[in-house]
Amino acid sequence: MSADTRPGLNENLGRKRLAFRQWRGQRPFWAGLLTLLAGLPIMYFPYANLTIGSLTVRMATTAGAGSLIIGVLLVVLGLTLWFQPASRVFAGVAAILLSLVSLVVSNFGAFLVGFLLGLFGGALGVSWAPGRAAAGGGPQGAWAGAAVGGQPVAAGAAPGSGDGLDDLSGTSPTNGTNGRHRAG
């Protein structure tokens, strides 16, 4: 491999990583991942055989089909959280309810592993909110257009300019400051 092909490979991987990072930031990625992972043990354990020496223990339940349905639905809800972020509240609530039902149906929610993953994934799905796009390109651009008290704030407004960012209540009469420092 020559030295000329290596930077192209790194650049291509960097672009793909940034594209994935942007895709991940526009949806409840971790909620979908946890919900998807919750379905796997709930589907697997009721049909698994545990062999200890020559002793085979079946962990099948009477509601094996029910646990299979719950596991498949949790996987589908995880994918829904990824590819339909607008329905995140429905998918999150459904994941929480299915995780609770899995406690009874599927070996205590696949020995609490699937239950906890589904519970946390559903909670993350319900609580996720899309972020605001940055107005500027730099780190201060994220605050451009932010509202304080219902009124928009100009980016880079000076302290004491009446932009609402510096609260002058409790100011000291000696130097006119209130002991709070502005970062930036």
Side-chain angles (χ1 to χ4, degrees), residues 37-173:
L37 290 176
L40 299 178
I42 290 174
M43 282 189 292
Y44 174 74
F45 283 132
Y47 295 103
N49 292 329
L50 178 65
T51 304
I52 304 171
S54 62
L55 178 67
T56 301
V57 178
R58 286 200 54 130
M59 292 182 275
T61 62
T62 57
S67 62
L68 180 66
I69 291 171
I70 289 172
V72 167
L73 285 175
L74 282 171
V75 169
V76 168
L77 287 171
L79 293 173
T80 300
L81 284 168
W82 278 353
F83 297 110
Q84 295 292 330
S87 62
R88 67 188 179 276
V89 175
F90 166 74
V93 169
I96 291 171
L97 291 176
L98 285 171
S99 297
L100 289 171
V101 170
S102 76
L103 278 174
V104 179
V105 174
S106 176
N107 293 335
F108 293 110
F111 305 113
L112 296 178
V113 173
F115 166 71
L116 290 174
L117 286 172
L119 202 63
F120 288 132
L124 284 173
V126 169
S127 66
W128 184 83
R132 292 182 292 183
Q140 293 180 356
W143 293 103
V148 176
Q151 298 189 359
V153 177
S161 63
D163 60 5
L165 289 179
D166 50 347
D167 182 18
L168 297 178
S169 63
T171 57
S172 169

